[in-house]
Amino acid sequence: MSKKAFLFGLAVGGAAIARVAMKMDEDKKAELKAKAQQGLADFKDRAIDYAFYANDAAADFKEEASKQFDLAKDKVADFADQYQAAKNEGGASFSSSLDEATDSLRSELAQVEADADEDANDDIVIDSATAFGDESAATSADAESTLETDSAVDSADSEATSAADSATDQPE
């Protein structure tokens, strides 16, 4: 229904404009034509101005992007030069020390995983002091268990710290 109403309105409006245009005198027609041409010329000028603005903005963006790309490229080149200098300074020991640090970290990880597997398979042991409420014997048994666990954790931490220190002591 709306399509029919639109077309009907367009036809009626066109007919009304044509009727008015026929009844206008020549001076009014010329004035209306001049206004329409001036409006069209203004529209073209405005469109050209916006095209120039867009072109300038695109050129500015390209220039800034080029600067940022050059800065990033220079930073990467500087980092590569520093890395190469450190590698050449250390020579063969640079890669071998890196391999040693990697191997030591792998062995420590394997040891931690093995310890975790052993702890997972521990049996539950209930002694008579814990089962029947003898508080003094249960407390001493818990203290021994805590001391053993703390010493195992401390030794694992010290091994990991020494491996990390040896890895960071290497030249860059």
Side-chain angles (χ1 to χ4, degrees):
M1 185 72 180
S2 65
K3 191 185 270 188
K4 290 179 183 179
F6 174 74
L7 291 176
F8 178 72
L10 187 63
V12 170
I17 290 173
R19 176 109 173 151
V20 170
M22 283 193 210
K23 290 200 174 202
M24 276 190 200
D25 60 352
E26 292 300 319
D27 292 336
K28 291 271 186 179
K29 286 182 183 179
E31 185 181 329
L32 187 59
K33 187 176 181 179
K35 282 185 181 180
Q37 288 175 346
Q38 183 62 36
L40 186 60
D42 289 344
F43 178 75
K44 286 180 183 178
D45 288 342
R46 197 171 299 145
I48 289 171
D49 289 343
Y50 285 128
F52 284 136
Y53 293 150
N55 191 21
D56 289 344
D60 291 344
F61 176 76
K62 285 180 184 178
E63 184 179 333
E64 185 63 29
S66 175
K67 286 179 186 178
Q68 293 298 325
F69 179 74
D70 290 341
L71 287 173
K73 192 167 74 171
D74 290 342
K75 285 181 182 180
V76 169
D78 290 343
F79 179 74
D81 291 343
Q82 289 175 355
Y83 175 77
Q84 193 65 24
K87 186 176 177 182
N88 291 338
E89 195 174 285
S93 66
F94 181 78
S95 62
S96 65
S97 63
L98 183 62
D99 291 339
E100 289 172 10
T102 304
D103 291 339
S104 68
L105 286 174
R106 282 187 183 139
S107 65
E108 286 179 33
L109 180 60
Q111 180 64 31
V112 168
E113 287 177 352
D115 290 344
D117 289 342
E118 289 174 8
D119 290 341
N121 294 330
D122 286 345
D123 291 335
I124 298 174
V125 177
I126 300 176
D127 60 349
S128 62
T130 306
F132 296 113
D134 188 7
E135 297 271 335
S136 62
T139 305
S140 65
D142 288 341
E144 283 181 34
S145 170
T146 303
L147 287 175
E148 289 175 9
T149 304
D150 289 344
S151 65
V153 169
D154 289 341
S155 65
D157 286 344
S158 65
E159 289 175 13
T161 304
S162 65
D165 288 343
S166 67
T168 57
D169 289 341
Q170 303 302 323
E172 292 183 14

